[in-house]
């Protein structure tokens, strides 16, 4: 994402103030990305509501416009997509290399046109991120798949249902196979499927377009192929990770936040850990309040596929545990490169040692503001939480990575009383520092 025009934007943050109040959560980025791609599988217009206005979804929409998809945005959170004018199945590289979810266009184009050519995906640098399970699924239903000159080329005379056993639980591969197989002849069974809320959301969306998918949310998904899909109006589920990030923001700053427009069931593993570290959780129909008044306690966390603790919440948890009493451990079992926030938070006084895929975190009394850099989307958000809890001023570089997945992050934090400004140069950081030097 280094080529983005606002590369120099950073957050200046004055920490030490508990976040208090209410925050409204947007649509789930990772569900929206797959739903946007799946929307081109019909020639009818599809209306998607509760669409997050974040960089990744906007990049994918731009890339789709590049192959002739008609995109309208009647308002900030609604998008109308019409895929009847798709000119070619070859996606432009420059746009798509920025985001991981570009791979969903393979499933969508292959499913509809029996043909796709998409550059190998980019995305956050959080590990090696193979796509063998996606390719295995496409091949199982009859596609000829090869990788040439940095692109995935998939073609089939016809697609036919198959029994597919996933060797690893993969969100992306499960969703991609759902899309590629929903218009294949006969029945496809995905065993060891991912159960994440966004997998269920994509299945519900495809069903609303006329697909016949059963079992999403369990580890066996059954898809009976249909001959065509039709238009629909669909609302994306709330973002589990944006919600979880604000829940941890209450914990780490010692505040109280009512996190609104959520599905509390999707947040259970996050709530459970927050209770263990000493927070109070109140659950309502579509909101959750997190309050922390006493000291933070240590705990053990291991990231796992849903319903386990999400890898996308691991950095936010790590930052919080760096301020907890005693020694905590976090084991990252999904992506090997997700401790890149550790070097940055050590500059703020944290005491964390990473051994293999485990971080051993010895709690400190307090963090101090520093100049730090966002290494990736979730690690960047976690460092914002650290800066909000720290004493003094921090400046966080590369916030375009955070904007990939958080809409109006700074505005929402300000709405909770946090002191944060988006700034573009050293002078502005200096001015911010002078303004907030004392108290
Ligand atoms: C999705 O990535 C999300 N991205 C990630 O969110 C999230 O961290 C991840 O799921 C896990 O929940 C999008 O939805 C766009 P996986 P994905 O396939 O689909 C291995 C964020 O911050 N694997 O479930 O790429 C893989 O290496 C991001 O919003 C294979 O071995 O993740 C990993 O260890 C970052 N072969 C595990 O499976 C494959 O073919 C899970 O990966 C595919 C995956």
């Amino acid at each position: 994402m280094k080529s983005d025009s606002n590369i120099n934007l950073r957050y200046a943050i004055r920490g030490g103030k508990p976040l208090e109040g209410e925050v409204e959560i947007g649509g789930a980025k990772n569900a929206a990305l797959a739903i946007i791609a799946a929307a081109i599988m019909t020639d009818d217009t599809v209306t998607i509501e509760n669409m997050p206005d974040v960089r990744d979804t906007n990049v994918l929409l731009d890339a789709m416009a590049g192959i002739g998809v008609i995109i309208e945005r009647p308002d900030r959170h609604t998008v109308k997509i019409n895929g009847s004018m798709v000119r070619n199945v070859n996606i432009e590289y420059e746009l798509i290399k920025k985001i991981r979810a570009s791979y969903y266009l393979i499933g969508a184009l292959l499913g509809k046109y029996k043909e796709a050519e998409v550059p190998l995906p980019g995305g956050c640098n959080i590990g090696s991120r193979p796509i063998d399970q996606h390719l295995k699924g496409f091949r199982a239903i009859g596609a000829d798949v090869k990788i040439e000159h940095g692109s995935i080329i998939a073609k089939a005379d016809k697609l036919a249902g198959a029994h597919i056993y996933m060797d690893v639980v993969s969100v992306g591969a499960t969703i991609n196979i759902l899309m590629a197989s929903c218009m294949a002849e006969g029945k496809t069974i995905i065993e060891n499927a991912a159960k994440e809320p966004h997998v269920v959301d994509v299945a519900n969306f495809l069903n609303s377009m006329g697909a016949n998918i059963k079992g999403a949310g369990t580890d066996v998904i059954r898809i009976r192929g249909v001959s065509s899909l039709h238009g629909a109006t669909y609302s994306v589920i709330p973002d589990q990770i944006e919600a979880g990030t604000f829940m941890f923001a209450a914990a780490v700053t010692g505040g109280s936040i009512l996190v609104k427009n959520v599905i509390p069931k999707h947040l259970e593993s996050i709530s459970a850990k927050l209770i263990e570290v000493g927070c109070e959780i109140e659950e309502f129909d579509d909101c959750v309040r997190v309050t922390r008044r006493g000291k933070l306690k240590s705990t053990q966390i291991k990231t796992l596929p849903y319903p386990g603790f999400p890898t996308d919440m691991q950095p936010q948890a790590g930052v919080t545990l760096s301020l907890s009493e005693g020694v905590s451990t976090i084991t990252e079992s999904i992506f090997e490169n997700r401790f890149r926030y550790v070097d940055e938070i050590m500059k703020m006084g944290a005491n964390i040692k990473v051994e293999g895929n485990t971080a051993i975190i010895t709690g400190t009394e307090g963090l101090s503001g520093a100049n730090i850099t966002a290494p990736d989307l979730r690690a960047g958000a976690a460092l914002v939480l650290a800066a909000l809890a720290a004493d003094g001023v921090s400046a966080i570089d590369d916030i375009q990575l955070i904007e990939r997945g958080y809409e109006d992050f700074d505005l929402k934090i300000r709405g909770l009383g946090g002191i944060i400004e988006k700034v573009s140069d050293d002078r502005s950081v200096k001015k911010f520092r002078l303004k907030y030097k004392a108290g």
Side-chain angles (χ1 to χ4, degrees):
M1 302 290 285
K2 294 278 176 192
S3 61
D4 283 9
S5 52
N6 61 354
I7 186 76
N8 291 323
L9 281 184
R10 9 182 139 146
Y11 288 142
I13 297 173
R14 170 70 167 94
K17 223 176 149 218
L19 296 195
E20 306 270 353
E22 300 182 359
V23 66
E24 191 83 33
I25 299 305
K29 173 199 70 137
N30 288 342
L33 287 165
I35 287 172
I36 291 169
I40 62 171
M41 296 186 71
T42 169
D43 284 345
D44 298 342
T45 297
V46 170
T47 304
I48 305 168
E49 296 165 347
N50 204 29
M51 172 63 50
D53 182 15
V54 293
R55 194 168 297 258
D56 273 15
T57 48
N58 293 336
V59 168
L60 184 58
L61 288 167
D62 284 351
M64 286 167 40
I67 57 164
V69 178
I70 299 163
I71 313 271
E72 279 175 63
R73 198 121 191 188
D75 64 57
R76 192 178 180 197
H77 297 126
T78 306
V79 64
K80 284 181 181 287
I81 297 177
N82 184 295
S84 62
M85 305 287 275
V86 168
R87 283 190 299 272
N88 61 45
V89 292
N90 189 345
I91 302 291
E92 191 196 334
Y93 178 64
E94 270 314 305
L95 279 174
I96 219 63
K97 71 176 180 188
K98 293 180 183 172
I99 57 165
R100 182 100 196 133
S102 54
Y103 56 39
Y104 288 138
L105 290 171
I106 315 170
L109 290 168
L110 180 65
K112 187 176 181 202
Y113 297 102
K114 315 283 175 270
E115 197 177 348
E117 183 169 339
V118 177
L120 282 163
C124 278
N125 177 9
I126 53 176
S128 68
R129 312 193 76 179
I131 53 161
D132 55 302
Q133 299 303 304
H134 303 238
L135 307 189
K136 172 178 164 170
F138 299 146
R139 288 186 178 122
I141 58 170
D144 175 35
V145 186
K146 52 189 179 183
I147 296 180
E148 266 178 19
H149 310 297
S151 287
I152 303 162
I153 304 168
K155 271 191 190 143
D157 293 333
K158 89 171 186 168
L159 295 172
H163 198 134
I164 304 163
Y165 183 86
M166 312 290 290
D167 302 317
V168 292
V169 178
S170 161
V171 172
T174 303
I175 292 177
N176 237 338
I177 298 168
L178 278 184
M179 294 196 278
S181 65
C182 65
M183 284 194 273
E185 276 175 27
K187 196 170 171 187
T188 298
I189 299 176
I190 310 175
E191 303 249 21
N192 199 24
K195 296 181 280 202
E196 268 67 5
H198 39 297
V199 174
V200 180
D201 206 36
V202 177
N204 287 341
F205 170 63
L206 287 166
N207 283 342
S208 77
M209 292 168 81
N212 183 348
I213 301 170
K214 295 201 169 111
T218 74
D219 44 24
V220 183
I221 304 182
R222 293 183 164 78
I223 306 127
R224 191 168 284 284
V226 295
S227 54
S228 64
L229 298 178
H230 53 71
T233 295
Y234 192 82
S235 183
V236 178
I237 51 164
D239 198 303
Q240 174 205 23
I241 306 301
E242 187 195 13
T245 302
F246 280 103
M247 291 166 77
F248 269 92
V252 77
T253 63
S256 181
I257 302 180
L258 183 67
V259 184
K260 292 167 76 174
N261 183 34
V262 298
I263 299 175
K265 173 91 193 135
H266 295 168
L267 302 169
E268 277 174 354
S269 62
I270 296 165
S271 298
K273 283 298 156 191
L274 285 167
I275 291 168
E276 281 176 30
V277 300
C279 295
E280 230 176 79
I281 307 278
E282 290 167 83
E283 265 183 29
F284 307 93
D285 284 350
D286 64 353
C287 48
V288 172
R289 186 192 303 281
V290 181
T291 307
R292 199 266 290 178
R293 298 297 178 211
K295 288 201 166 181
L296 284 165
K297 293 186 270 189
S298 61
T299 192
Q300 273 71 48
I301 294 180
K302 183 174 183 182
T303 62
L304 287 170
Y306 190 81
F309 191 85
T311 172
D312 292 350
M313 285 303 305
Q314 185 266 102
Q316 300 86 318
V319 158
T320 305
L321 292 177
S322 75
L323 285 164
S324 305
E325 278 185 323
V327 179
S328 301
T329 58
I330 297 188
T331 304
E332 171 57 64
S333 65
I334 311 288
F335 291 113
E336 70 271 18
N337 208 3
R338 269 212 140 154
F339 285 128
R340 295 199 309 149
Y341 63 94
V342 169
D343 283 348
E344 298 303 304
I345 196 181
M346 302 259 276
K347 294 178 192 160
M348 304 173 79
N351 184 352
I352 306 179
K353 201 170 153 205
V354 178
E355 285 181 3
N357 67 343
T358 299
I360 301 150
I361 305 169
T362 306
T364 53
E365 278 285 313
L367 298 172
S368 58
N371 292 338
I372 49 179
T373 301
D376 62 62
L377 163 60
R378 306 301 172 189
L383 291 169
V384 170
L385 302 194
L388 288 166
D391 188 30
V393 170
S394 297
I396 306 186
D397 283 346
D398 281 355
I399 64 162
Q400 72 282 357
L401 291 170
I402 301 173
E403 292 181 342
R404 291 180 69 155
Y406 291 87
E407 182 182 308
D408 295 341
F409 200 36
D410 50 337
L411 293 183
K412 289 186 183 183
I413 290 169
R414 275 210 293 280
L416 294 164
I419 303 170
I420 177 169
E421 273 175 29
K422 211 189 270 189
V423 294
S424 53
D425 53 28
D426 287 337
R427 259 188 46 209
S428 314
V429 176
K430 261 190 203 144
K431 258 170 74 185
F432 181 93
R433 236 178 246 290
L434 284 174
K435 189 167 158 196
Y436 292 108
K437 212 165 150 194

